[in-house]
Amino acid sequence: MSTLLSFEQFLEQNLVVPAETLENARLLQQEQFTPLPALLVRMGALSEEVLYQQMALHSGMPLVGDDDLHAAQAAFQTTVNQWGLLPHWCQAQGLILWQQEDSNIVHCAAKEVIAANVREVLRLKSPSAISLKYSLIRPSSFEAFYAALERREPKMAMSGDVMHLRELAEEGPIIELVNTVLSQAVTRRASDIHVEPGEYEFAIRLRVDGVMQDLSRFPLDKFDATVCRIKILSQLDIAERRLPQDGRMTARVNSEVFDVRVSVLPSAMGESVVMRLLRQDRKPYHLEDLGMMPDHAALFKRWIKMPNGIVLVTGPTGSGKTTTLYTALDIGNDGLNKIITVEDPVEYRLQGISQIQVNADIGFTFASALRSILRHDPDVVLIGEIRDQETASIAVQSALTGHLVFSTLHTNSAAGAVTRLVDMGIEPFLLGSSLKGVMAQRLVRCLCEECAQPVEINQEAHRILLEGVKHWKEKLVKQPQLRQPVGCRTCNHTGFAGRVAIYELFEVDATLQHQILSHASEADIVKYLRESQVRSLRDDGMLKVWQGITTVEEVLSLAGA
């Protein structure tokens, strides 16, 4: 067993694959984004049988034979039923589970090393007296197992149309098209790539700094092959065009490694595809990097160090809530606390933190995951989103029993979080005792540092600006540095490059607790916050206008007039 070596190094050291062949495969991998073992088999460098024998030697896991799988057919269905799993979920994860008679060992055979979040699901689902024994299985045996399970013969060939589509997707022009789109999206700092079919052509559009931009348009005869290529890379079913599909792939673009979340949705013109780009090597953020002013940062850090309670971050989809919470976990992850997250999906991998992904297909929801993880003695819990009354109730009970709970909530304002939870059915006396702090946020575009120029704004904008900063300009910022967007090559002639958050934070004090208990309306809570000089989203944005970070128009478009 050579776990200290990567599998590539293991193959090279044991002379299974010549160093020159491995180097050629690595170069080809950067173009095709195909896992290296699969690429070596495709190149003919080694057979599937030899590949999996070497994987077994490297990992120390046994290789399951066909005879063992034949005996496991009946036991598989019994095991997944007892665990509350669905066969198609196991198949999608590349797993086969079965328990031998009169044994407390459950065999878990997989086509490749199982992801940490899948292992966590299996661990949580398995009875306490059960031990999991992991092993490897060849893809051909895996496919034959599920084909026999469904009482059908393995498909030796695809239909003509699908086979032709796969051949087109593997050809150079389509591979180059997809690779070029990924490269240009990274160069333009895009967060999402949209592939949208039309009547005579299909469009590639990018979301950059929250705004859609056209990238290019291509003839419609390349559309199906392009979507097929994306599906192949994401391990989706290329023959299924009637149902939505979600997948994931890893791509190396311009020397950077990205996790790419892929969503395929049938539309009237064809399948629409959205790819979200997530950098794997995300560096820990600091609150100041996100745009928090010193007073907000000090308050938020105090919340992070609290022993218990609920801290909520509110805002619409795409407003940076998850990034803010990940930053809070980075700050609070001092090695002295047990931190567990429940997310849908897990966006970034965090060192030293247990991250669990929910899966509604098998009944593994936020609520069921929370009930399980509370038995794992966490100090800090992050809930990706409070969506229903059951999740909200468990979050409140967790806070009242000594846990610090971070979560997000979809509301239009910070004050709206209080009334939303009461509307969900949380008793006001429980909410008043458990809720410690609420934050609302939005993302505004930053002016491009290369081309932004000083400006004198008009009288109305100047009045709005002064109204927003009057309580804080002396304490937080000095002289105004107002600027306007111009446009250059760096910012693709938009005048903006990057985004920064604007915040509204308030702590639940004795007065707010009384308002919660007395069922105060959102308007009453907002009135008290303004009387207490809690800075609104708009006012926080105006401070960033004062500093020359963004513009009055940009803030008003997101935080209201």
Side-chain angles (χ1 to χ4, degrees), residues 253 358-359 369 407 490 517:
V253 185
V358 303
N359 191 322
S407 189
T490 301
L517 288 171

Side-chain angles (χ1 to χ4, degrees), residues 125-260:
K125 284 286 186 179
S126 62
S128 57
I130 291 297
S131 298
L132 282 171
K133 183 177 180 180
Y134 292 97
S135 54
L136 288 171
I137 179 174
R138 291 180 293 272
S140 56
S141 300
F142 178 88
E143 298 298 338
F145 177 89
Y146 276 99
L149 191 70
E150 297 173 12
R151 297 180 179 177
R152 58 178 171 81
E153 293 298 321
K155 291 183 178 179
M156 302 306 295
M158 299 182 185
S159 66
D161 289 344
V162 175
M163 179 63 77
H164 178 62
L165 204 56
R166 177 182 281 276
E167 291 173 353
L168 290 176
E170 297 286 358
E171 290 181 354
I174 299 301
I175 292 175
E176 183 179 357
L177 187 155
V178 174
N179 292 350
T180 300
V181 168
L182 286 168
S183 178
Q184 291 183 352
V186 171
T187 301
R188 292 199 185 187
R189 303 173 294 101
S191 60
D192 301 270
I193 303 170
H194 293 247
V195 183
E196 301 172 339
E199 189 173 358
Y200 303 107
E201 59 185 4
F202 71 97
I204 306 289
R205 300 206 294 161
L206 308 177
R207 186 176 294 279
V208 182
D209 296 334
V211 178
M212 296 295 291
Q213 297 180 3
D214 286 336
L215 177 64
S216 188
R217 294 182 179 273
F218 298 94
L220 197 60
D221 58 5
K222 292 184 177 181
F223 175 72
D224 287 339
T226 301
V227 173
C228 183
R229 175 65 184 166
I230 295 170
K231 284 184 174 181
I232 290 172
L233 294 175
S234 310
Q235 299 182 346
L236 298 178
D237 184 357
I238 64 174
E240 179 57 72
R241 304 183 192 180
R242 301 166 300 169
L243 297 173
Q245 296 188 72
D246 293 304
R248 198 171 192 137
M249 64 177 168
T250 300
R252 182 180 295 275
V253 185
N254 301 346
S255 302
E256 293 183 276
V257 181
F258 290 82
D259 279 330
V260 184

Side-chain angles (χ1 to χ4, degrees), residues 176-369:
E176 183 179 357
L177 187 155
V178 174
N179 292 350
T180 300
V181 168
L182 286 168
S183 178
Q184 291 183 352
V186 171
T187 301
R188 292 199 185 187
R189 303 173 294 101
S191 60
D192 301 270
I193 303 170
H194 293 247
V195 183
E196 301 172 339
E199 189 173 358
Y200 303 107
E201 59 185 4
F202 71 97
I204 306 289
R205 300 206 294 161
L206 308 177
R207 186 176 294 279
V208 182
D209 296 334
V211 178
M212 296 295 291
Q213 297 180 3
D214 286 336
L215 177 64
S216 188
R217 294 182 179 273
F218 298 94
L220 197 60
D221 58 5
K222 292 184 177 181
F223 175 72
D224 287 339
T226 301
V227 173
C228 183
R229 175 65 184 166
I230 295 170
K231 284 184 174 181
I232 290 172
L233 294 175
S234 310
Q235 299 182 346
L236 298 178
D237 184 357
I238 64 174
E240 179 57 72
R241 304 183 192 180
R242 301 166 300 169
L243 297 173
Q245 296 188 72
D246 293 304
R248 198 171 192 137
M249 64 177 168
T250 300
R252 182 180 295 275
V253 185
N254 301 346
S255 302
E256 293 183 276
V257 181
F258 290 82
D259 279 330
V260 184
R261 290 214 316 265
V262 179
S263 176
V264 181
L265 186 68
S267 69
M269 293 292 182
E271 291 179 299
S272 177
V273 181
V274 176
M275 295 182 281
R276 169 152 290 187
L277 305 176
L278 301 167
R279 280 181 171 80
Q280 277 191 354
D281 57 347
R282 184 190 74 90
K283 297 178 181 178
Y285 288 118
H286 300 287
L287 297 178
E288 294 75 14
D289 299 333
L290 304 181
M292 276 197 191
M293 306 297 281
D295 58 339
H296 279 172
L299 177 58
F300 193 57
K301 286 177 181 177
R302 189 163 79 242
W303 294 349
I304 294 170
K305 299 299 182 182
M306 290 189 305
N308 56 67
I310 298 178
V311 176
L312 292 176
V313 181
T314 72
T317 301
S319 59
K321 301 186 297 296
T322 300
T323 300
T324 298
L325 289 179
Y326 277 3
T327 304
L329 295 186
D330 283 336
I331 295 171
N333 188 18
D334 53 9
L336 303 177
N337 293 318
K338 169 78 170 183
I339 303 175
I340 302 181
T341 74
V342 185
E343 306 171 63
D344 183 22
V346 174
E347 293 196 6
Y348 295 105
R349 313 298 183 193
L350 302 175
Q351 294 295 324
I353 293 174
S354 300
Q355 295 176 269
I356 299 170
Q357 180 164 323
V358 303
N359 191 322
D361 289 344
I362 60 171
F364 194 54
T365 61
F366 278 111
S368 61

Side-chain angles (χ1 to χ4, degrees), residues 336-503:
L336 303 177
N337 293 318
K338 169 78 170 183
I339 303 175
I340 302 181
T341 74
V342 185
E343 306 171 63
D344 183 22
V346 174
E347 293 196 6
Y348 295 105
R349 313 298 183 193
L350 302 175
Q351 294 295 324
I353 293 174
S354 300
Q355 295 176 269
I356 299 170
Q357 180 164 323
V358 303
N359 191 322
D361 289 344
I362 60 171
F364 194 54
T365 61
F366 278 111
S368 61
L370 279 171
R371 283 193 294 269
S372 297
I373 68 173
L374 290 178
R375 295 192 289 270
H376 282 247
D377 190 31
D379 298 293
V380 180
V381 177
L382 185 150
I383 306 171
E385 182 185 345
I386 294 179
R387 298 176 178 174
D388 52 45
Q389 192 271 339
E390 186 179 11
T391 305
S393 296
I394 297 174
V396 168
Q397 292 299 329
S398 301
L400 293 173
T401 53
H403 303 88
L404 179 59
V405 179
F406 292 96
S407 189
T408 69
L409 198 63
H410 284 292
T411 61
N412 292 325
S413 67
V418 175
T419 53
R420 174 72 184 280
L421 288 173
V422 172
D423 289 342
M424 278 186 177
I426 303 301
E427 293 292 343
F429 72 92
L430 294 176
L431 183 60
S433 302
S434 59
L435 187 62
K436 302 299 183 183
V438 182
M439 171 197 298
Q441 69 177 77
R442 301 288 189 277
L443 293 178
V444 297
R445 292 183 295 171
C446 298
L447 288 164
C448 175
E449 293 297 332
E450 298 294 326
C451 62
Q453 294 181 353
V455 64
E456 291 186 9
I457 59 177
N458 62 50
Q459 185 175 357
E460 177 62 17
H462 191 261
R463 182 192 65 78
I464 294 172
L465 177 61
L466 289 178
E467 177 68 23
V469 302
K470 64 182 179 181
H471 295 299
W472 300 280
K473 68 176 183 178
E474 297 298 330
K475 182 167 50 175
L476 299 175
V477 292
K478 302 303 180 184
Q479 296 300 316
Q481 300 173 343
L482 308 182
R483 299 190 298 170
Q484 65 179 352
V486 177
C488 64
R489 291 183 62 183
T490 301
C491 60
N492 198 31
H493 302 285
T494 63
F496 296 92
R499 290 190 290 177
V500 69
I502 56 176
Y503 295 98

